[in-house]
Amino acid sequence: MMKKMYKTKKLWTTSLSTILLAKPKTQTLILPSLPSISGLKHHYLSTSPQPQFSFSASNLRNHLFNSFHSQSSHEKCWNCGAVAETPPFLFCHSCRCVQPLDHSLDYFQIFGLEKKYEIEDDANLEGMYKQWQKKLHPDLVHSKSQKERAYAAEQSERVIDAYHTLKDPLSRAIYIMKLEGVHVDQEETISEPELLAEIMEIRESVEEAPDSNSLNQIRSQIEEKLKHWSNSFANAFRSQKFEESIDAIRRMTYYDRVIEEIVKRL
Ligand SMILES: [Zn+2]
């Protein structure tokens, strides 16, 4: 009996320490705000025609489902009520009215992309971006109402942000981590001796480069390194290894800055 108790106790201690030692999850789930349970209860109680009202789980589920969906996107045109076929709903396909910004769409959804780090070459981000910018250009919407012009300006700003963020491997990495609820501090100092030595070496060679030819040579070497770490990020991110992902981002940040420095000198 004693033995058994001891065993149980030990098991409990182990699992407790596992819980205590486990790293806190940094992931956060962002959902549109939902009405509180007590608020819903009040709502059902005050509107129910039957005095012997019972508050069922399916009622609650339906209510939550409906309110979630009605808040999640602009499905209907604010002007004519036509239903959108595909996001992004910049313009109404029926009355050509500019639609308000849909904050529930992330940058990947804006471009109709799957939420993953790698972007195929044929995704044609640039083409879509240019096409939208043309449509949203102030010269083209100047005859529209003030409300629509304001919507167009908002949409345009967001499309610009989305394009620049997704186009660049580094900012795309930081952005996709943010969507996972992981904040990356790019300013964190590098403490790895090997990497520090490499940084010093590269800096020296940039400073001592005699001409633009040698600067360009260094640049293509750094671009290779950037590509390598971008691939490392992709792998780490895919397997949800966020510490490795952050490490890759930090290195990419450094190489990105070296390239900026080289461009300044060219
Ligand atoms: Zn419409």
Side-chain angles (χ1 to χ4, degrees), residues 38-58:
S38 63
L40 276 177
K41 231 172 189 169
H42 177 77
H43 168 80
Y44 277 108
L45 285 170
S46 56
T47 55
S48 170
Q50 297 146 320
Q52 68 277 44
F53 168 81
S54 72
F55 188 73
S56 79
S58 70

Side-chain angles (χ1 to χ4, degrees), residues 141-239:
V141 294
H142 78 276
S143 59
K144 301 217 177 227
S145 68
Q146 197 184 352
K147 187 174 174 175
E148 277 180 81
R149 288 205 306 274
Y151 286 158
E154 271 178 7
Q155 296 271 24
S156 168
E157 204 178 307
R158 187 143 165 96
V159 164
I160 291 172
D161 277 349
Y163 173 65
H164 288 286
T165 304
L166 295 189
K167 182 185 70 152
D168 177 56
L170 175 58
S171 54
R172 187 168 71 241
I174 295 167
Y175 179 71
I176 203 164
M177 288 283 274
K178 194 175 135 193
L179 290 184
E180 287 295 316
V182 185
H183 170 75
V184 183
D185 181 10
Q186 279 181 285
E187 298 311 316
E188 204 171 302
T189 45
I190 298 159
S191 52
E192 261 175 87
E194 249 176 75
L195 185 60
L196 276 172
E198 193 198 332
I199 290 169
M200 302 264 276
E201 207 179 300
I202 296 172
R203 246 181 223 160
E204 254 174 56
S205 61
V206 170
E207 270 164 33
E208 287 165 8
D211 49 30
S212 55
N213 246 0
S214 37
L215 276 174
N216 274 324
Q217 252 175 19
I218 303 171
R219 185 186 177 167
S220 54
Q221 280 168 13
I222 305 292
E223 274 166 357
E224 279 303 308
K225 284 175 192 279
L226 201 53
K227 211 186 258 173
H228 167 83
W229 284 103
S230 170
N231 288 336
S232 298
F233 173 82
N235 290 331
F237 183 78
R238 209 181 300 120
S239 32

Side-chain angles (χ1 to χ4, degrees), residues 74-116:
H74 305 277
E75 286 144 348
K76 283 182 183 176
C77 166
W78 61 271
N79 187 44
C80 75
V83 177
E85 285 163 341
T86 47
F89 194 25
L90 298 181
F91 289 88
C92 168
H93 63 278
S94 176
C95 72
R96 306 303 302 158
C97 230
V98 186
Q99 299 302 304
L101 201 59
D102 183 351
H103 288 279
S104 72
L105 293 179
D106 64 45
Y107 292 167
F108 290 93
Q109 289 169 310
I110 286 180
F111 280 93
L113 295 169
E114 196 188 326
K115 200 186 92 185
K116 64 181 180 68

